[in-house]
Amino acid sequence: FFFFLIVAYIIFAMKIVYSIPDKKRVLFLVFATVQIIAMVGISANVLASLPNQGSNNDDVEKESKATTAFTISMMLTSIAMLFFVFAGVFFEQKWRIIFFVASSALVFAYSLYSYIRKMDDSAEKEERLWRMIVAAVCLPLDVIFGYVIISDMNWLAYHVAGSDVKMINAFNWYSRFRSFMDIDVMLAITLVVLAAYSTKDFQFTTTQLVLSILGIVASIVWIICGTIASRRESHFLMYFFYLLSTLEPMYLFYKFNTFSVHWEELKQADTTVPILTLGIAAILLRIFITVMAVIVHRNFGLGLKHGFNSIKVDNQSYGSFGSD
């Protein structure tokens, strides 16, 4: 019964999407906005229902800190999803739409895990149940909407790169490069949040707090530098971007060393494995982005900068996104 219900639900959703071809992007943005507002609101209720930190019960304190860290991380992920979907639609960045759908899947996976793990906790059960339901209902629609929107993205690529194969290839690498930088910054902020709630006894020192803040600031400067350098084809800024790219891995190695020193305190924390996993993923992602940056750098001079500078947007042409 549930299988046929899901199939009927998907068919009905696809019918709605395809029946409004000129407004499907607006429909997608409205749906994504409502979805994310709902997820953030429900997550805020989960935080409000947690027991006050500072409890004499160590197990309650540990559970509360872990839940707070994961819930805040999920709220940040939801906000990042809103950026991905708007930037993906307005700037025709296919990878940002893909990241939005992937983030939606991660939110559902965590919501399901969180609900199953706390099924017997009546204080938070209702909020977790509603969060799981919203995520489960939205995920298939996100996949459908994302596929339809991505399939119709060609206006910007055509007006910037035209039909030249090298230009199109350069534009695609530029788009991937920009989109993956967004994921890198989101990952850096998530790591700081999780590290802030490591255990009851181990807290940030002043030095570690300052380094964490400087790390986030460096990531923001890094993404701004990479965006300007790749768009304006500035060799100087690209070399500066390469230099900045080494800061996050060095900071993460420093954090790994801190974890090894305090391992006896940290190994029991629920956030330790996610922090280590995301830290390794962040280093690998930074290497991957640097490789993409080199490819984008080597494409300087092919005409992509001129294509961006000469593009003109008017209501008639932009209103027919996929029709050119």
Side-chain angles (χ1 to χ4, degrees):
F1 171 77
F2 284 106
F3 172 76
F4 288 108
L5 184 63
I6 293 173
V7 171
Y9 169 70
I10 294 176
I11 293 175
F12 177 71
M14 292 182 68
K15 182 179 179 181
I16 292 177
V17 171
Y18 280 106
S19 67
I20 320 175
D22 295 331
K23 298 180 180 179
K24 57 180 175 291
R25 298 189 183 212
V26 175
L27 184 63
F28 182 38
L29 292 175
V30 171
F31 171 74
T33 302
V34 173
Q35 166 190 347
I36 291 165
I37 290 175
M39 292 301 298
V40 171
I42 295 172
S43 296
N45 283 335
V46 171
L47 285 178
S49 64
L50 290 174
N52 293 328
Q53 294 186 18
S55 169
N56 293 327
N57 189 319
D58 289 342
D59 292 334
V60 172
E61 174 77 6
K62 175 184 173 183
E63 179 66 25
S64 177
K65 289 175 73 70
T67 302
T68 299
F70 289 127
T71 304
I72 293 176
S73 297
M74 194 174 75
M75 292 172 70
L76 291 174
T77 301
S78 299
I79 295 172
M81 288 170 62
L82 189 63
F83 167 78
F84 288 148
V85 70
F86 271 84
V89 169
F90 284 109
F91 297 103
E92 293 206 341
Q93 299 291 323
K94 296 182 180 180
W95 278 98
R96 284 173 176 159
I97 301 296
I98 294 173
F99 293 153
F100 167 78
V101 175
S103 299
S104 180
L106 289 175
V107 167
F108 168 69
Y110 172 73
S111 299
L112 178 62
Y113 165 76
S114 178
Y115 174 72
I116 294 175
R117 187 163 171 259
K118 300 283 289 184
M119 284 184 65
D120 298 330
D121 191 342
S122 58
E124 305 169 28
K125 182 178 179 181
E126 185 175 351
E127 289 85 356
R128 293 170 186 265
L129 175 61
W130 276 109
R131 185 170 63 183
M132 183 188 68
I133 291 174
V134 171
V137 171
C138 292
L139 178 57
L141 282 174
D142 290 338
V143 173
I144 294 168
F145 270 123
Y147 174 77
V148 172
I149 298 300
I150 288 176
S151 300
D152 195 32
M153 282 187 175
N154 57 22
W155 188 93
L156 185 61
Y158 174 78
H159 283 77
V160 171
S163 57
D164 184 88
V165 176
K166 290 185 177 180
M167 283 273 286
I168 292 175
N169 187 53
F171 176 82
N172 289 335
W173 276 112
Y174 167 82
S175 298
R176 296 186 195 106
F177 173 64
R178 280 291 295 108
S179 299
F180 275 90
M181 282 199 296
D182 297 335
I183 286 290
D184 187 286
V185 173
M186 187 188 83
L187 192 57
I189 296 174
T190 301
L191 279 168
V192 171
V193 171
L194 291 178
Y197 290 90
S198 298
T199 64
K200 177 180 178 181
D201 300 321
F202 178 70
Q203 302 291 343
F204 272 178
T205 64
T206 301
T207 301
Q208 292 165 345
L209 179 60
V210 170
L211 285 175
S212 297
I213 295 174
L214 289 177
I216 294 177
V217 172
S219 294
I220 295 174
V221 173
W222 172 80
I223 193 173
I224 293 174
C225 179
T227 301
I228 296 175
S230 57
R231 182 65 177 265
R232 297 187 177 181
E233 298 192 355
S234 169
H235 294 283
F236 171 77
L237 287 179
M238 283 303 295
Y239 290 127
F240 185 57
F241 174 82
Y242 297 143
L243 179 63
L244 291 176
S245 296
T246 63
L247 297 181
E248 184 183 67
M250 289 192 296
Y251 170 75
L252 288 172
F253 283 125
Y254 161 76
K255 292 302 297 182
F256 288 160
N257 179 67
T258 302
F259 267 54
S260 66
V261 173
H262 298 274
W263 183 248
E264 291 302 318
E265 302 170 55
L266 292 168
K267 66 180 181 181
Q268 301 299 327
D270 293 338
T271 56
T272 298
V273 173
I275 289 173
L276 294 176
T277 303
L278 290 177
I280 294 173
I283 293 174
L284 295 176
L285 178 61
R286 183 57 64 94
I287 294 173
F288 179 61
I289 291 173
T290 303
V291 172
M292 284 194 292
V294 172
I295 296 174
V296 170
H297 195 177
R298 294 181 64 181
N299 287 331
F300 284 5
L302 292 180
L304 198 62
K305 175 183 177 180
H306 175 73
F308 277 119
N309 292 337
S310 62
I311 188 172
K312 294 181 180 180
V313 179
D314 56 77
N315 292 334
Q316 183 177 0
S317 64
Y318 198 68
S320 55
F321 267 115
S323 60
D324 286 331

